[in-house]
Amino acid sequence: MKINYNVSAMLANNALAQNDTALSKSLERLSSGLKINHAKDNAAGLAIAKRMNAQIEGLSVANQNASDGVSIVEIADGALSEVHDMLQRMNELSIKGATGTITDDDRKMIDEELQQLKKEITRIGETTQFNGQNLLDGSFDLKGYSDNKAVKVETYNEEVPVGKYNVTVNPDFDADGKLTDATTATIQGADGNTWTGTPEVSIENNMVVLKGENSFEVRLSVDPTAGNFNAKIDLTGIGSMTMQIGANEGQTLEIRIPKIGLKQMGIEETEVTSQNSADKAIEEIKGAITYVSSVRSRLGAYQNRLEHTNSSLDITSENMTSAYSRIMDVDMATEMTKYSSMQVISQAATSMLAQANERPSQVLQLLQ
């Protein structure tokens, strides 16, 4: 028997230390509820989980963004609902003014209400806001520019390829400076642009409308001073409200809100002071109702899409969280079983260490 080095005690102490370390880790997992508390626990698992957690947090914010988008659409649609009601009232007034049973003095009183309704439509278009941003003044419509001061790009649709175009139009105007016809038109893609052709030309809401294949449509506002004009227009393809509806770059939705104004609706000069003007007003207001209906239809489609986006993000976040939980969360039942087992082993190791420390004292019996 040896007394200088108690190897049995050393073995018992090492086993106790290892078990105590494992017991501390188990306590940490049980108290935190996490299987991975440090990078050393599972380096690869931690890297995957943190990247996945960034996705989950991003999805949560994207969901909020989509909900804000729904609110924007609802505000714009609510304002346009009032515009629709006012246009319906203006239509009633126009029909009333078109009958021969009333005098021009009566029509002047009718026209006063109609003009006030037009002013209110203008006010709504200029002041409807969300978070300090105007929604119906054209701020979020696609932007286009012209090098001819007498020609202005009012709007164009998303299907039009972005780029510069050379446009030639021969418009006709009446004595009041209103567009009556545009007999011929050409539009040629410039700067390598792919669209080239002879468009269909028409007059709508006192604007020149150029339509071509693949839903190509451009609307131009033309001043009477333009005459037969040639202009280079730059269709930028930008201007829509960009909604970030995903956790990654490029996962966006462009919300385009056309301008709501008397000119765009074709009722800028509408009045009912005479029977003839009332007759014209009926057709003009009909066109305005169609214009507002098309804008509301677009907004309704955006809202449906955003609501589906919300549902999709909820499902994605739910499944992503489940995957994240499988990597990071500890199984409490299994870990508690391990903890109980290690606790018993720790108690046994402590007892064995105490007995191993008593063994050298037995040598004293040999020295008696």
Side-chain angles (χ1 to χ4, degrees):
M1 300 180 69
K2 303 173 184 179
I3 61 174
N4 281 340
Y5 299 100
N6 189 347
V7 177
S8 298
M10 293 173 64
L11 292 173
N13 184 61
N14 286 340
L16 180 61
Q18 292 175 3
N19 190 70
D20 186 63
T21 299
L23 194 62
S24 297
K25 289 182 179 179
S26 184
L27 276 170
E28 185 178 32
R29 293 190 187 102
L30 289 169
S31 60
S32 67
L34 297 174
K35 183 163 47 179
I36 303 175
N37 290 283
H38 308 283
K40 64 180 181 179
D41 297 336
N42 185 346
L46 181 66
I48 294 170
K50 289 303 178 183
R51 187 169 63 249
M52 194 175 293
N53 188 54
Q55 283 283 105
I56 294 170
E57 296 299 327
L59 288 171
S60 176
V61 177
N63 204 331
Q64 295 175 22
N65 291 344
S67 297
D68 288 342
V70 171
S71 298
I72 288 171
V73 172
E74 288 177 340
I75 290 172
D77 185 59
L80 291 177
S81 175
E82 291 302 315
V83 172
H84 249 155
D85 290 344
M86 286 187 283
L87 288 173
Q88 294 291 358
R89 176 57 181 166
M90 290 170 65
N91 186 56
E92 294 172 8
L93 294 173
S94 299
I95 295 172
K96 183 67 175 176
T99 185
T101 59
I102 62 175
T103 66
D104 285 346
D105 289 336
D106 296 328
R107 292 189 182 93
K108 288 180 181 178
M109 289 185 287
I110 294 174
D111 187 64
E112 287 181 7
E113 180 181 352
L114 187 140
Q115 298 306 322
Q116 289 299 320
L117 290 172
K118 287 170 59 177
K119 289 180 180 179
E120 180 61 16
I121 290 174
T122 300
R123 189 196 66 81
I124 289 175
E126 293 176 347
T127 61
T128 300
Q129 293 185 338
F130 177 86
N131 193 29
Q133 299 184 91
N134 291 330
L135 299 180
L136 303 178
D137 66 348
S139 298
F140 297 110
D141 199 3
L142 297 175
K143 301 296 188 294
Y145 305 95
S146 169
D147 65 348
N148 189 327
K149 293 182 179 180
V151 180
K152 179 182 178 182
V153 178
E154 286 291 343
T155 186
Y156 54 95
N157 55 16
E158 296 91 337
E159 289 76 10
V160 176
V162 173
K164 295 181 180 180
Y165 296 85
N166 295 316
V167 179
T168 302
V169 178
N170 300 325
D172 293 326
F173 299 87
D174 62 16
D176 296 326
K178 290 186 178 181
L179 279 165
T180 57
D181 194 12
T183 54
T184 59
T186 61
I187 181 167
Q188 301 263 329
D191 299 336
N193 208 290
T194 57
W195 198 94
T196 299
T198 301
E200 175 188 343
V201 58
S202 61
I203 303 299
E204 295 181 20
N205 295 339
N206 203 34
M207 289 184 285
V208 175
V209 182
L210 305 175
K211 295 182 180 180
E213 297 178 353
N214 301 321
S215 301
F216 187 101
E217 182 176 321
V218 179
R219 293 174 178 260
L220 304 175
S221 178
V222 183
D223 190 271
T225 59
N228 298 337
F229 68 86
N230 178 277
K232 178 178 284 187
I233 60 174
D234 184 5
L235 308 182
T236 64
I238 61 176
S240 301
M241 179 181 287
T242 302
M243 304 295 300
Q244 180 69 33
I245 56 172
N248 301 319
E249 181 182 3
Q251 295 178 343
T252 59
L253 170 64
E254 303 289 333
I255 295 182
R256 175 192 167 208
I257 308 177
K259 183 176 181 179
I260 300 300
L262 301 180
K263 183 175 182 179
Q264 287 69 31
M265 290 188 284
I267 57 173
E268 189 174 22
E269 304 295 334
T270 298
E271 46 90 13
V272 291
T273 55
S274 67
Q275 191 168 3
N276 288 335
S277 63
D279 286 334
K280 290 177 60 179
I282 294 173
E283 189 64 25
E284 291 170 349
I285 293 170
K286 179 181 177 182
I289 292 173
T290 301
Y291 178 82
V292 175
S293 296
S294 67
V295 175
R296 293 188 68 186
S297 176
R298 178 187 295 275
L299 291 175
Y302 285 139
Q303 183 169 349
N304 286 335
R305 183 174 176 182
L306 286 168
E307 288 176 351
H308 285 299
T309 297
N310 273 332
S311 299
S312 176
L313 290 173
D314 287 338
I315 295 171
T316 303
S317 179
E318 177 184 336
N319 292 328
M320 192 77 74
T321 302
S322 178
Y324 178 78
S325 175
R326 284 193 293 271
I327 296 174
M328 292 295 294
D329 289 351
V330 68
D331 185 330
M332 298 296 286
T334 301
E335 193 62 37
M336 193 63 204
T337 300
K338 292 180 181 179
Y339 174 77
S340 298
S341 176
M342 286 185 289
Q343 196 173 36
V344 171
I345 293 173
S346 180
Q347 292 171 355
T350 302
S351 177
M352 291 304 100
L353 179 60
Q355 294 188 34
N357 287 332
E358 289 293 324
R359 289 188 64 190
S361 65
Q362 297 175 5
V363 177
L364 293 176
Q365 296 177 6
L366 299 176
L367 299 177
Q368 292 178 354

